[in-house]
Amino acid sequence: QVQLVESGGGLVQAGGSLRLSCAASGRNTFNSYRMGWFRQPPGKEREFVAAITWSSGIPYYADSVKGRFTISRDGAKNTVYLQMNSLKPEDTAVYYCAADRDNSGSRYSASSYDYWGQGTQVTVSS
């Protein structure tokens, strides 16, 4: 069974940076997978942040984070990262890591993903 464990959340001032990590386990390789980051701001629905196809490394971003966030993966560690720079108060949310075993469906839709982490809180103060 695939398990995803996020870490790296916390409290940061506007303009600061954080790096989230998502450690994946339960398989020897995730080459066929697509990995994503979603977030859920207080009182709002879960929304797409970024995704990466494990085999190609091609990243995709929501317009709201393009140019500020970077998604990457480390195959040796089976870990996906989300580097977040120039953080804004509106980035405050619980951030979730997700895995799509078939790399199919819309990368922007939460329903395409099969496995989820427990979430990590990111709070950006103004």
Side-chain angles (χ1 to χ4, degrees):
Q1 181 75 355
V2 172
Q3 290 188 322
L4 306 174
V5 179
E6 302 103 332
S7 60
L11 173 64
V12 64
Q13 288 188 333
S17 298
L18 283 174
R19 188 177 79 157
L20 304 184
S21 299
C22 172
S25 62
R27 292 176 57 89
N28 289 332
T29 176
F30 290 85
N31 278 345
S32 64
Y33 278 51
R34 177 169 62 207
M35 306 297 292
W37 286 97
F38 287 75
R39 67 186 182 187
Q40 188 163 13
K44 297 185 178 181
E45 294 187 352
R46 195 169 298 191
E47 63 184 26
F48 171 79
V49 175
I52 188 167
T53 301
W54 199 286
S55 57
S56 69
I58 297 175
Y60 302 87
Y61 299 98
D63 288 342
S64 59
V65 307
K66 202 171 293 183
R68 300 188 298 122
F69 291 11
T70 302
I71 188 171
S72 62
R73 84 272 190 258
D74 183 334
K77 297 181 179 180
N78 282 347
T79 299
V80 177
Y81 303 98
L82 185 68
Q83 177 66 44
M84 306 186 295
N85 299 328
S86 302
L87 282 161
K88 305 175 181 180
E90 51 263 44
D91 294 318
T92 295
V94 178
Y95 283 71
Y96 297 91
C97 176
D100 172 8
R101 60 175 176 250
D102 298 318
N103 192 16
S104 63
S106 170
R107 64 180 66 90
Y108 306 108
S109 174
S111 62
S112 297
Y113 294 80
D114 304 291
Y115 304 100
W116 292 84
Q118 81 285 356
T120 185
Q121 176 70 46
V122 171
T123 302
V124 185
S125 63
S126 57

